[in-house]
Amino acid sequence: MSTSFFGKYIVPEAATLRNTDSYRTIPPIDDGAAREVLYGGTRLLNLASNNYLGLSSHPELIEAATKAATRHGCSSGASRLITGNFALAETLEAELATFKHQEAALVTSSGYAANLAVFTALADRHTVVFSDRLNHASIIDGVLLSGARLVRYRHLDMGHLERLLAREALVDKKIIVTDSVFSMDGDVAPLARLVELGKAHGALIVVDEAHAMGVLGRGRGLTAALGLSEDVDVHVGTLSKALGSLGGYVAGRVETIELLRNRGRSFIFSTALPPAVLGASLAALRHIKSNPGLGARLMRLSKQIRDHLIGLGFDTMGSTTQIIPVSCGRNRVALHAQALLRAEGLLVAAVRPPTVPQGTARLRLSLRADLTDDDLKRIRLGFSRLRVTFFP
Ligand SMILES: *Cc1c(COP(=O)(O)O)cnc(C)c1O
């Protein structure tokens, strides 16, 4: 009987979990994408969301979402392949493809779903996927679902990748996949070398730009910033972070997108995004196109804050972007530092295993382009005070 499973396994496991410092709860936060959030009634500066450009509350997005909902209702009704199509989705895909310098694009219900679609469509049990050890969980899940063999190389280590590629020389179907900006470290992939290796070994190259889209390369991502748009085969990204909306996308050659439409399980077997979301995404994309300097402003203020933290003696773990980790090591230290910063009016994420490797708990600041000079002052002051506790 299911009750015995509940009593025997679920209750004790939940009880054990509750007593560990990796136990997770949903924080008492309201309005989590805003520049300032309410945390149990206190106003905190929000350095924890991925709303990097503050677009989620931009009037252009709200108006587009409202218009689309008024005209088309609140649901898409079914999978795109059945009845869930809207002209808005096709316009968004065409504009995304152009923006990413690609022939075609496909929009999915999330960035998570985009990676599931990529690997279930393009990989199978005869494929070997070479994946940076710190790639996002959705990449790992996509590979697992595809039945391909996962080979993980050390973070950013192109020498290691090269040796692993050579070891699998007899395998015909090879894919190399990397995040462009790493979500918990804020460092960037060595894409030029990765592209060279991919070409030399006949591997398909997949780059996930979730944290770079809207930010780097005048909003087009790291591939565009490095002039590698044409050298990367499959471009994955999200509309849920800097674009301030919801959804994922894949961009590439026409035939690649055709396979995704036919075989991407998360695309086929899930209801399409609703009109309001499509409207907001399209407005966000157009906003970024006509304001290409937003990302550069974010990079400038990120550098100021990072330099300040390094000057105080904090280890920012190789970050070069708007995502700035502060190394803490043990979970308890990260949670303590987070609480101290909260008292300084700052909301910062404390990231712990299994999101990051054991023993590498950290604070994670994600900065945003709409921070004011006063906000930046508050951040600097908060960390200066934290330092006294960290390095007494
Ligand atoms: C956040 C993230 C995703 C998932 O995107 P969602 O739209 O939030 O589902 C995929 N890949 C990477 C690298 C991410 O950081």
Side-chain angles (χ1 to χ4, degrees):
M1 208 175 115
S2 71
T3 316
S4 98
F5 189 105
F6 177 74
K8 230 166 121 182
Y9 299 108
I10 298 181
V11 171
E13 267 187 55
T16 310
L17 202 58
R18 227 175 280 137
N19 292 322
T20 65
D21 53 12
S22 53
Y23 183 62
R24 294 165 185 238
T25 56
I26 298 174
I29 293 172
D30 212 358
D31 217 0
R35 203 182 107 264
E36 283 192 326
V37 298
L38 275 181
Y39 186 102
T42 317
R43 203 170 279 287
L44 300 181
L45 189 60
N46 184 2
L47 305 175
S49 96
N50 301 316
N51 183 20
Y52 298 124
L53 303 177
L55 288 187
S56 81
S57 55
H58 196 285
E60 289 169 18
L61 272 73
I62 294 170
E63 194 196 328
T66 310
K67 242 188 207 161
T70 307
R71 193 169 305 160
H72 305 289
C74 290
S75 171
S76 59
S79 162
R80 283 277 287 291
L81 295 173
I82 310 292
T83 65
N85 205 31
F86 289 90
L88 263 178
E90 290 177 0
T91 307
L92 176 60
E93 288 173 346
E95 294 195 16
L96 271 169
T98 308
F99 189 67
K100 294 291 295 174
H101 308 298
Q102 302 301 305
E103 290 176 0
L106 183 73
V107 168
T108 57
S109 31
S110 65
Y112 183 88
N115 276 320
L116 261 52
V118 164
F119 290 98
T120 52
L122 307 180
D124 56 22
R125 60 195 182 82
H126 305 293
T127 312
V128 176
V129 179
F130 300 84
S131 169
D132 187 292
R133 208 180 265 284
L134 296 189
N135 275 345
H136 192 258
S138 56
I139 292 174
I140 313 299
D141 292 2
V143 175
L144 287 176
L145 193 58
S146 76
R149 184 150 56 88
L150 183 68
V151 172
R152 301 198 307 164
Y153 59 88
R154 285 196 291 270
H155 182 48
L156 309 183
D157 187 341
M158 293 296 101
H160 192 213
L161 171 60
E162 188 173 18
R163 290 194 295 284
L164 293 171
L165 281 163
R167 196 180 296 169
E168 305 289 347
L170 295 179
V171 176
D172 195 39
K173 297 177 81 176
K174 295 194 266 282
I175 297 177
I176 303 173
V177 58
T178 186
D179 289 10
S180 66
V181 170
F182 286 84
S183 54
M184 297 301 142
D185 295 70
D187 50 4
V188 301
L191 283 185
R193 180 68 186 137
L194 190 139
V195 161
E196 269 175 24
L197 286 174
K199 286 189 174 163
H201 292 265
L204 187 87
I205 299 166
V206 180
V207 175
D208 183 341
E209 298 253 41
H211 295 279
M213 176 69 171
V215 177
L216 299 179
R218 297 162 65 80
R220 287 163 165 80
L222 182 64
T223 46
L226 299 174
L228 294 170
S229 296
E230 270 91 61
D231 299 291
V232 167
D233 299 292
V234 182
H235 300 251
V236 181
T238 182
L239 309 165
S240 330
K241 290 172 181 163
L243 272 80
S245 177
L246 173 70
Y249 68 84
V250 185
R253 302 293 292 269
V254 166
E255 290 83 355
T256 304
I257 301 304
E258 237 178 314
L259 283 195
L260 261 82
R261 261 191 236 115
N262 281 271
R263 295 196 191 141
R265 294 179 67 83
S266 56
F267 174 73
I268 300 171
F269 298 111
S270 189
T271 299
L273 286 170
V277 166
L278 295 169
S281 296
L282 186 57
L285 183 62
R286 290 176 175 171
H287 183 82
I288 287 169
K289 261 191 279 188
S290 36
N291 297 275
L294 289 173
R297 171 182 157 76
L298 177 57
M299 282 305 115
R300 272 196 306 280
L301 62 87
S302 301
K303 184 176 181 327
Q304 287 169 22
I305 294 296
R306 193 168 45 246
D307 287 349
H308 178 74
L309 295 179
I310 292 171
L312 289 171
F314 290 110
D315 173 7
T316 57
M317 305 178 80
S319 155
T320 57
T321 64
Q322 79 279 13
I323 299 169
I324 308 180
V326 174
S327 171
C328 295
R330 285 179 304 145
N331 292 353
R332 214 168 291 250
V333 177
L335 291 172
H336 186 52
Q338 181 189 40
L340 289 172
L341 289 171
R342 204 182 302 137
E344 298 293 334
L346 306 175
L347 177 69
V348 170
V351 189
R352 291 161 285 160
T355 307
V356 294
Q358 282 297 332
T360 71
R362 66 199 68 177
L363 298 173
R364 176 184 183 272
L365 279 86
S366 55
L367 299 179
R368 39 195 296 157
D370 58 359
L371 293 173
T372 64
D373 287 345
D374 263 359
D375 295 337
L376 296 175
K377 226 178 273 168
R378 242 163 103 188
I379 298 171
R380 282 195 288 265
L381 185 65
F383 276 90
S384 298
R385 293 209 177 121
L386 177 66
R387 180 191 173 278
V388 178
T389 315
F390 248 64
F391 310 111

